[in-house]
Amino acid sequence: AENQLHAGAEVVQHGFGPRVELVFRRFRIEGVGQRLIAEELGVSLTTVEKDLQKAYRALVALRQRLDTE
């Protein structure tokens, strides 16, 4: 499962750039809270939430592509 998360983080990075990948990695892999991530990056909590939504959408799209191959 952890390998899948790391692979997912790479997919997210290529699709949305380093901040979205960092937010995804810090939250899903390292277990850091969203509010702390926002403080660390100097962005709003809403921005972190939206970044996570982008990451999850990218992973769902990847899974759908892999399922149809």
Side-chain angles (χ1 to χ4, degrees):
E2 188 165 325
N3 285 341
Q4 288 177 332
L5 284 175
H6 287 288
E10 290 177 18
V11 167
V12 167
Q13 179 180 15
H14 292 296
F16 293 102
R19 190 189 71 212
V20 175
E21 186 267 339
L22 178 62
V23 168
F24 176 79
R25 187 177 297 278
R26 295 282 286 148
F27 183 70
R28 289 295 305 208
I29 298 172
E30 298 173 15
V32 177
Q34 293 179 15
R35 190 171 307 277
L36 180 56
I37 295 168
E39 290 173 11
E40 290 174 351
L41 297 178
V43 298
S44 70
L45 179 59
T46 301
T47 297
V48 170
E49 292 169 343
K50 288 180 180 181
D51 285 351
L52 286 170
Q53 289 173 355
K54 289 176 188 176
Y56 295 141
R57 280 195 297 271
L59 293 174
V60 166
L62 173 65
R63 182 174 205 131
Q64 288 174 342
R65 268 198 320 266
L66 292 175
D67 286 348
T68 59
E69 290 180 358

